[in-house]
Amino acid sequence: MGIRHRIAPLAAVLALAGGLAATAAAPALAAQPASGKTTGTAAADGTYLYFNKNQSNPGNSRLYLMKSVPNAKDTVLAKYRAGSGDGGPNGKDECASSQGWLPNGTYQVLAHDAHYNGGDLGVNGKVIHVEDKVCENGRTTRAELFVHSEMWPEGSQASPRPGQDNPYRWEGSDDYRSLGCIKLKPADIDNLFTKAGRYGWPDELKVVS
């Protein structure tokens, strides 16, 4: 969600953007799992997500859908602009819960859902849910982590709110900001779901910077 205007209580904002500390209260979106389960390790010729964080502009990072190729260079199936972190002073601190971008490392993809319903205060629509990750300080766990966009559960856009940021409507580059999750614009997450359905759903997310 964008952070130009605060239109909801803090708990609602945390639920919308992800990246909570494990000690924080579980938001509404944690009440139900995403429907498409993904288990096990990636096959040698399977697919995975690769997120390359942009040190100069975290909101202009890149997310790739990759195909593993045994004994050869992996193939890029799709490439998207993506963001992670709130863009503020702690936006590149992976241990800053609800502010910083995702920690580097490999994450298991837990599930995906084309019509996720996190409730009125949660993440909705197309989501890919990844496992929690302990950051570099060894103490802080980043939790409730998703690849998502801004939309209603059925995929539609909310009505505009003049002078306000609407967390269920994509309004521009500020919407690449998050509290930890990876965010894509709606057209790109639609394309990612189409490509993953065609080439196979990724089992892992690899995050680098």
Side-chain angles (χ1 to χ4, degrees), residues 3 16 39 46 56 94 103 131 150 164 170 199 209:
I3 59 172
L16 282 163
T39 59
S56 299
E94 67 175 52
E131 67 179 330
E150 297 193 355
Q164 292 184 318
W170 193 268
Y199 295 109
S209 60

Side-chain angles (χ1 to χ4, degrees), residues 19-164:
L20 301 177
T23 54
L29 61 85
Q32 57 177 323
S35 60
K37 297 297 183 182
T38 304
T39 59
T41 57
D45 59 350
T47 64
Y48 62 93
L49 295 172
Y50 184 88
F51 183 53
N52 190 355
K53 299 184 292 189
N54 185 341
Q55 292 283 348
S56 299
N57 183 358
N60 194 21
S61 299
R62 292 295 181 268
L63 179 69
Y64 301 83
L65 177 63
M66 303 291 298
K67 181 175 179 59
S68 298
V69 181
N71 304 314
K73 185 177 180 180
D74 292 351
T75 301
V76 176
L77 299 174
K79 175 183 176 181
Y80 310 100
R81 178 180 175 178
S84 180
D86 67 4
N90 296 320
K92 294 190 290 184
D93 181 352
E94 67 175 52
C95 295
S97 296
S98 304
Q99 300 175 71
W101 58 12
L102 283 185
N104 287 356
T106 299
Y107 300 67
Q108 181 184 354
V109 173
L110 302 177
H112 62 271
D113 195 329
H115 301 288
Y116 189 79
N117 189 343
D120 291 341
L121 303 180
V123 171
N124 288 298
K126 290 182 171 68
V127 303
I128 298 174
H129 188 190
V130 302
E131 67 179 330
D132 300 348
K133 177 69 70 175
V134 177
C135 76
E136 61 186 355
N137 67 19
R139 301 184 305 275
T140 303
T141 298
R142 305 297 299 277
E144 301 301 336
L145 303 175
F146 291 80
V147 179
H148 70 96
S149 186
E150 297 193 355
M151 60 182 68
W152 290 123
E154 73 278 8
S156 64
Q157 291 285 287
S159 299
R161 294 174 175 172
Q164 292 184 318

